[in-house]
Amino acid sequence: MLDPGQIARCVRCDTVLDAYATFKPHAWLAIIITGIIAFVLANAFPVVTLSFQGSTQSATFLDAARVTWDAGYPLVAILTFGVGFAMPFLHLSLLLWVFGALAFGRLPLGFEAAVRWIDWVKPWSMVPVFLMGALVTIVKLVDLASLQPGIGLFGTIAVAVIMTGLTRLDSERLRFMAHDMGLSVSHPPLPRPPSPLMLQRTWALVIGALILYVPANLLPIMYIRAFNGSSGHTIMGGVIELWQMGSYSVASVVFIASVVVPIGKLIGLIVLLILTQRSSEVALKRRTRLYHMVEFIGQWSMLDVFVVILLSALARFGALLEFEPSTGAAAFGGVVVLTMVAAMGFDPRLAWRRAGHRRHLGEAAPASANSAGAGTAQSA
């Protein structure tokens, strides 16, 4: 059990293993219930209302997913519905189930299964990314029509903030929390050694993402149809348009999320795969940190896809103005999914094992705790 201000780190790779829990279960339960209320508001009310030449159009997130389905892009609709609604809802529901029991000093039924599902669902809960997409959408439309933020937007802001805080809760932290309460928590089975076959699976996913990345950038991600004609817009075209509008900060955010992050993920994964295959001992700690960074930033590439579905739902004014998703959005969504699955399937322990670090270092570096950190004798 850690004291206030202490953290536990792996003595080999410096990964944070545990930190002192400032919030107790009843406090987390209150935060989760608040998040659920905000989630209901975010999806029951319009995100924004658009007025254009006497016509008014409003849309919720669910409206955006439905419009995308009706436009003939069911895969994009299913993907955005899953990561923007289904997964966040499941994440909040699982946390409510766990903390609803922990707050009263007992373990919930199916505790082990619930915490494993929390780990699996968490990376796919993309409410913060959707919020950024909504803000980018507002910037894109502000010069075309009159915009009125809705209750759904403020609900989304609240959910994004709360769910960002809830990402701290993983299976290990929940087990430690239950153990500190004196509850009988079974130890999870030790993880199996990473299989070398993981490299082949990860390479296949990375190559698939590289193939999809070409049409994702060359093909239009959306079409704009207006009374004076229609035009297709690629990802870079949207960035250039925002820059020309004077929205330099928003253009920079979109460029980083939709161009820099996907390329960075692919390059990072390729570097990790090559060095692991070569059993290289070069910068093992930095490579472990690189892996965690690649895994963390993966979901932000969904930004442009959320922008497209929101524009399609809001700008529906017949022959006057209409936004429609295009093939580039489906290809880009595929890139996001493949790179995320590739990052989740890669195990940085394999790099250490292939470099010869197979023995437990506990005897050489006993665990210690202090205000800067608590070293633990766990292997990478």
Side-chain angles (χ1 to χ4, degrees), residues 226-345:
F227 64 92
N228 57 349
S230 62
S231 59
H233 290 254
T234 61
I235 293 173
M236 277 304 301
V239 173
I240 294 171
E241 180 184 357
L242 285 168
W243 189 272
Q244 292 174 342
M245 290 168 56
S247 303
Y248 305 120
S249 58
V250 178
S252 300
V253 169
V254 175
F255 177 75
I256 292 171
S258 301
V259 180
V260 176
V261 168
I263 293 175
K265 284 192 301 182
L266 290 168
I267 293 175
L269 285 169
I270 290 171
V271 169
L272 290 171
L273 288 167
I274 291 175
L275 292 178
T276 301
Q277 280 186 323
R278 293 182 176 181
S279 302
S280 172
E281 296 185 25
V282 175
L284 283 167
K285 283 188 179 182
R286 287 198 292 271
R287 283 157 57 187
T288 302
R289 288 194 288 269
L290 172 63
Y291 165 74
H292 289 302
M293 183 180 71
V294 168
E295 190 180 33
F296 172 75
I297 65 175
Q299 61 177 234
W300 286 94
S301 300
M302 276 292 294
L303 176 65
D304 250 335
V305 181
F306 282 130
V307 171
V308 169
I309 69 166
L310 275 174
L311 286 172
S312 301
L314 284 169
R316 291 183 294 149
F317 297 103
L320 293 177
L321 180 66
E322 190 169 283
F323 286 72
E324 184 178 289
S326 188
T327 309
F332 195 75
V335 173
V336 176
V337 171
L338 290 178
T339 51
M340 288 186 65
V341 174
M344 292 178 195

Side-chain angles (χ1 to χ4, degrees), residues 1-308:
M1 184 173 180
L2 300 176
D3 294 326
Q6 290 184 330
I7 59 174
R9 290 183 183 274
C10 175
V11 296
R12 175 178 289 170
C13 66
D14 291 336
T15 298
V16 175
L17 302 172
D18 191 21
Y20 175 78
T22 304
F23 288 171
K24 302 305 178 186
H26 62 272
W28 281 116
L29 179 60
I31 293 171
I32 292 163
I33 292 174
T34 304
I36 291 173
I37 294 171
F39 185 79
V40 172
L41 295 175
N43 289 278
F45 293 91
V47 176
V48 67
T49 298
L50 179 67
S51 299
F52 180 74
Q53 295 189 0
S55 299
T56 300
Q57 184 70 47
S58 61
T60 64
F61 170 76
L62 297 178
D63 291 333
R66 178 182 55 79
V67 168
T68 305
W69 178 284
D70 293 340
Y73 294 92
L75 293 179
V76 178
I78 292 170
L79 174 61
T80 51
F81 173 81
V83 300
F85 181 86
M87 292 302 179
F89 177 76
L90 180 57
H91 189 193
L92 288 169
S93 299
L94 289 168
L95 289 171
L96 179 65
W97 177 258
V98 171
F99 280 98
L102 291 181
F104 292 95
R106 58 184 179 83
L107 282 179
L109 293 174
F111 175 76
E112 284 298 325
V115 297
R116 286 196 299 269
W117 271 90
I118 287 170
D119 281 348
W120 186 85
V121 168
K122 186 170 59 174
W124 300 99
S125 299
M126 301 187 187
V127 176
V129 185
F130 171 68
L131 172 62
M132 185 60 67
L135 297 178
V136 172
T137 302
I138 290 172
V139 172
K140 280 179 172 285
L141 293 175
V142 70
D143 289 337
L144 296 176
S146 175
L147 290 170
Q148 181 66 41
I151 295 175
L153 178 62
F154 299 107
T156 303
I157 293 172
V159 177
V161 172
I162 291 171
M163 297 204 72
T164 300
L166 294 177
T167 56
R168 297 180 57 194
L169 300 172
D170 57 16
S171 59
E172 287 300 317
R173 186 178 293 272
L174 292 171
R175 289 191 187 98
F176 287 140
M177 194 178 297
H179 182 269
D180 292 344
M181 294 171 62
L183 300 174
S184 178
V185 182
S186 61
H187 293 286
L190 292 174
R192 290 179 297 179
S195 170
L197 293 175
M198 173 195 70
L199 295 174
Q200 299 176 19
R201 293 194 299 267
T202 308
W203 268 120
L205 291 166
V206 169
I207 292 171
L210 284 169
I211 293 171
L212 284 178
Y213 192 70
V214 176
N217 283 272
L218 295 181
L219 297 177
I221 197 170
M222 67 178 175
Y223 275 98
I224 301 177
R225 308 186 191 281
F227 64 92
N228 57 349
S230 62
S231 59
H233 290 254
T234 61
I235 293 173
M236 277 304 301
V239 173
I240 294 171
E241 180 184 357
L242 285 168
W243 189 272
Q244 292 174 342
M245 290 168 56
S247 303
Y248 305 120
S249 58
V250 178
S252 300
V253 169
V254 175
F255 177 75
I256 292 171
S258 301
V259 180
V260 176
V261 168
I263 293 175
K265 284 192 301 182
L266 290 168
I267 293 175
L269 285 169
I270 290 171
V271 169
L272 290 171
L273 288 167
I274 291 175
L275 292 178
T276 301
Q277 280 186 323
R278 293 182 176 181
S279 302
S280 172
E281 296 185 25
V282 175
L284 283 167
K285 283 188 179 182
R286 287 198 292 271
R287 283 157 57 187
T288 302
R289 288 194 288 269
L290 172 63
Y291 165 74
H292 289 302
M293 183 180 71
V294 168
E295 190 180 33
F296 172 75
I297 65 175
Q299 61 177 234
W300 286 94
S301 300
M302 276 292 294
L303 176 65
D304 250 335
V305 181
F306 282 130
V307 171
V308 169

